[in-house]
Amino acid sequence: MKKFLIFSFCLFSFVASIFAEETSTTFVPEVSMAQQAIASPDYIVTPGDIYSLAMQGTTISVTIDSSYRLRVGSLGVINVKGLTFQELKNKVENLVISNYPTANVQFVITNPASFKVVITGEVTTAGEVTTWSLRRLSDVIKGRLTPYASTRQIIVESDKGVQKKYDIFQATRFGDMSQDPYLRPGDKIIVPKYERKVKLLGAVKRPGVYELLPDEQIQDLINVLGDGYTEDANKDDILLKRFVGGKEVWEKKHLKETDVIADINLFSKDEVNVLSYSLTRSVFYVEGSIVVEKEKDSETTEDAATEIEVEKDIDTSTKYISAGTVSEPVSLNRILVEFDVGTSYAAIVKENKDWFVNNSADLENAYIRRKIQSENSEPEEEIIKIDLKKILYGSGFYEDLIVQADDVLYVPYVQYYVLVNGAVNAVGRYPYQAGKNYMYYVNLANGIDLDQNVFGTVTIKTKEGKRLSKKSVIPPEAVISVHRNSPKGGWLIPLLTSILTFLGALITAYGQIKGFSF
């Protein structure tokens, strides 16, 4: 027993001399993180790591400092930089056992170190981020990028100034984790702006919005990023929409498979829509104050993206008109429009701006009539207001309002007149003039009839029935009612007649009671 105690004391002294380093860390991770480091072959020894060495019932904790050098007493010095935990574990245990064959040695990591990296570029806030050795690049940048950030050309610069470029898409799509590296102390993450982003729609296996690298064009977009065509894809019916001239002007082109094989160039904001042979399309209606342009000669008109069936009030026959033609707009009452499931009203309206250029269109007060089918009841009609002016001349409005089959988009007419009635000398409808008050229109009606109106009392209402004050600017279709409140043709004479008749009856009755005769 005495010999065992002496041996244990000597062994403890030896271990203490080997690992006589001060324990210090600013990061105390969860036990699960230490378990990850022990289990992972990728964990790299990091300054600040806390390790535990257990020998014959005695446990010693040690910390790796910034020198990356671990002196093992007189047995030697281990340079731990670049070593994984498993490699360091083997070196320490083998070194001790080679000198003390009977020692029972266990070397584990108890607290993985934290460290800081710097992130700059297209991020919401640049600065330092705390991380650890088993946290990948994609985890660090998650939730920190601006809408203009590239995720395919991210630069990581080491503490030695060596830069490498990484493509997170390759990691998330194909599992190439070399493109989503673990970070190291002193790393600097530089997130550049993306150069091009395009939208891929339709009959492809992975539709979506994709960032293109400089050498990628339509072939890579469809076959790599989009993962290829679906079985029902019509490879000779591909619609390309292009944003032109920095304005809200879209240029449409119909592409064929030969264009894809030729790998034509794509530009930022392009939309590539691969149409389907078996595409089931629904219809909805646009009614009211709208215009559709006349057909051009079929030899000069490109194929239209949307076919429109026109229903006229007088001529009940129907015909199809290609959208995108020009000259001499024709006012129509109703248009039948085919659409792809999932299309938003914002997309439909922006794509067909020419429908809404009629001067009589009340764009701000448009609405959608939609049938709602409830269980065990008749369909009910829902009215959804939609400001088409915001869609046409703004951005980001009604993106989530999705077109449904048999919807009716109604654009009200604006009639540019003001109605003046009541006690005026010339009741009638008068042409609307912007910015005028009620007296302008009363004067057009030859003024107030003073024999019928006292105190100049009027009621002014909008076409929706909202009352306006006399100081208000009069809108189109307002109704100005001048009150008839004077004796001539008004209420005063009948009222006075009734009062006098009543008083006469009272006097007569009183006289009969008193015995008077009149």
Side-chain angles (χ1 to χ4, degrees):
M1 183 67 179
K2 183 177 181 181
K3 291 181 179 180
F4 176 78
L5 291 174
I6 293 173
F7 173 78
S8 298
F9 177 79
C10 294
L11 183 60
F12 177 85
S13 299
F14 169 74
V15 172
S17 66
I18 295 176
F19 300 103
E21 297 181 17
E22 181 181 353
T23 301
S24 64
T25 183
T26 59
F27 180 57
V28 182
E30 299 177 359
V31 174
S32 61
M33 296 174 70
Q35 291 172 342
Q36 290 180 57
I38 292 172
S40 174
D42 297 325
Y43 186 83
I44 304 295
V45 177
T46 305
D49 283 351
I50 298 178
Y51 296 90
S52 175
L53 178 70
M55 297 177 60
Q56 302 294 356
T58 302
T59 302
I60 303 298
S61 292
V62 294
T63 302
I64 302 298
D65 64 19
S66 60
S67 70
Y68 287 98
R69 297 178 67 82
L70 179 62
R71 179 174 294 279
V72 188
S74 60
L75 301 180
V77 176
I78 302 175
N79 183 356
V80 302
K81 188 165 188 177
L83 295 181
T84 65
F85 164 70
Q86 293 295 333
E87 292 170 338
L88 176 59
K89 173 182 173 68
N90 293 337
K91 284 180 177 290
V92 170
E93 291 182 352
N94 289 339
L95 183 60
V96 174
I97 291 174
S98 65
N99 287 275
Y100 298 91
T102 61
N104 183 14
V105 185
Q106 186 178 21
F107 185 74
V108 296
I109 184 169
T110 56
N111 283 324
S114 69
F115 53 86
K116 294 182 182 297
V117 296
V118 175
I119 182 168
T120 63
E122 283 300 315
V123 291
T124 53
T125 303
E128 292 184 325
V129 179
T130 300
T131 186
W132 72 301
S133 292
L134 287 184
R135 193 177 181 198
R136 294 187 181 272
L137 172 62
S138 60
D139 293 327
V140 173
I141 65 173
K142 186 176 182 180
R144 300 176 184 273
L145 304 182
T146 73
Y148 307 100
S150 168
T151 57
R152 302 196 62 193
Q153 300 189 81
I154 299 176
I155 297 169
V156 176
E157 183 179 302
S158 71
D159 59 347
K160 302 298 184 183
V162 178
Q163 292 188 346
K164 290 186 178 180
K165 191 176 289 186
Y166 296 97
D167 183 352
I168 299 298
F169 171 80
Q170 296 294 326
T172 56
R173 174 65 67 84
F174 304 112
D176 182 359
M177 303 315 292
S178 67
Q179 296 298 310
D180 190 10
Y182 296 117
L183 298 173
R184 299 300 299 154
D187 279 352
K188 181 178 181 181
I189 304 169
I190 304 168
V191 182
K193 288 183 172 68
Y194 69 77
E195 296 179 11
R196 291 178 298 161
K197 272 191 178 180
V198 298
K199 183 181 288 187
L200 180 61
L201 305 169
V204 291
K205 295 175 183 176
R206 292 178 181 255
V209 177
Y210 293 105
E211 177 186 350
L212 295 181
L213 296 179
D215 59 343
E216 293 177 337
Q217 302 300 341
I218 195 168
Q219 276 198 45
D220 288 300
L221 175 66
I222 293 175
N223 296 322
V224 179
L225 305 179
D227 201 22
Y229 299 100
T230 59
E231 292 181 356
D232 60 347
N234 184 351
K235 298 179 184 179
D236 284 326
D237 196 0
I238 301 173
L239 179 63
L240 171 64
K241 290 172 61 178
R242 178 158 292 164
F243 195 71
V244 179
K247 301 178 181 178
E248 287 193 15
V249 178
W250 289 91
E251 177 182 88
K252 296 181 183 180
K253 294 183 178 180
H254 282 271
L255 308 180
K256 299 183 179 297
E257 187 175 15
T258 53
D259 297 308
V260 177
I261 295 173
D263 205 19
I264 65 170
N265 293 338
L266 295 177
F267 300 105
S268 195
K269 298 185 180 181
D270 279 358
E271 288 187 9
V272 177
N273 189 355
V274 181
L275 302 182
S276 169
Y277 282 115
S278 58
L279 183 63
T280 300
R281 309 191 81 190
S282 299
V283 296
F284 80 107
Y285 302 88
V286 183
E287 293 181 353
S289 184
I290 52 178
V291 295
V292 171
E293 295 162 342
K294 290 182 178 180
E295 276 188 293
K296 286 184 178 180
D297 188 274
S298 59
E299 295 180 358
T300 60
T301 304
E302 293 185 357
D303 293 336
T306 305
E307 288 186 327
I308 306 165
E309 183 181 349
V310 179
E311 301 178 5
K312 294 192 175 182
D313 287 339
I314 299 174
D315 183 1
T316 58
S317 62
T318 61
K319 64 178 181 177
Y320 286 88
I321 294 181
S322 297
T325 57
V326 73
S327 81
E328 297 184 22
V330 181
S331 285
L332 301 172
N333 183 53
R334 183 177 175 89
I335 305 173
L336 185 149
V337 185
E338 294 182 344
F339 69 97
D340 296 331
V341 175
T343 302
S344 69
Y345 271 100
I348 289 284
V349 171
K350 283 181 179 291
E351 185 175 342
N352 299 283
K353 286 185 176 183
D354 291 342
W355 293 351
F356 308 102
V357 297
N358 197 339
N359 290 332
S360 66
D362 188 358
L363 300 178
E364 297 179 11
N365 292 299
Y367 57 88
I368 300 161
R369 298 200 303 267
R370 176 174 292 171
K371 291 182 179 179
I372 305 297
Q373 180 67 57
S374 302
E375 292 184 3
N376 303 320
S377 65
E378 293 294 324
E380 297 178 357
E381 188 174 80
E382 179 184 13
I383 301 298
I384 304 170
K385 292 185 177 181
I386 179 171
D387 188 341
L388 300 180
K389 188 175 180 180
K390 286 185 177 180
I391 296 177
L392 292 169
Y393 305 109
S395 60
F397 294 99
Y398 301 100
E399 298 284 354
D400 297 327
L401 183 55
I402 303 302
V403 182
Q404 294 187 14
D406 298 321
D407 274 0
V408 177
L409 173 60
Y410 186 77
V411 184
Y413 288 85
V414 176
Q415 300 185 68
Y416 287 92
Y417 68 81
V418 173
L419 176 64
V420 184
N421 61 25
V424 291
N425 292 305
V427 172
R429 297 193 307 179
Y430 295 94
Y432 168 76
Q433 290 291 330
K436 302 297 184 180
N437 64 12
Y438 85 102
M439 279 304 301
Y440 171 81
Y441 298 99
V442 169
N443 290 333
L444 291 179
N446 293 332
I448 296 175
D449 184 351
L450 299 178
D451 291 334
Q452 300 185 64
N453 178 276
V454 295
F455 308 120
T457 53
V458 298
T459 298
I460 307 168
K461 292 184 179 181
T462 67
K463 66 178 181 179
E464 294 83 16
K466 179 182 176 181
R467 295 193 67 161
L468 301 177
S469 71
K470 288 184 176 181
K471 296 181 179 179
S472 300
V473 173
I474 304 301
E477 298 186 55
V479 178
I480 301 172
S481 299
V482 181
H483 295 185
R484 289 188 173 95
N485 54 9
S486 67
K488 183 180 178 181
W491 52 268
L492 187 57
I493 290 177
L495 177 61
L496 291 175
T497 301
S498 298
I499 292 173
L500 292 174
T501 301
F502 178 73
L503 290 175
L506 285 177
I507 293 171
T508 301
Y510 180 79
Q512 290 176 351
I513 293 172
K514 295 296 185 179
F516 297 130
S517 62
F518 295 92

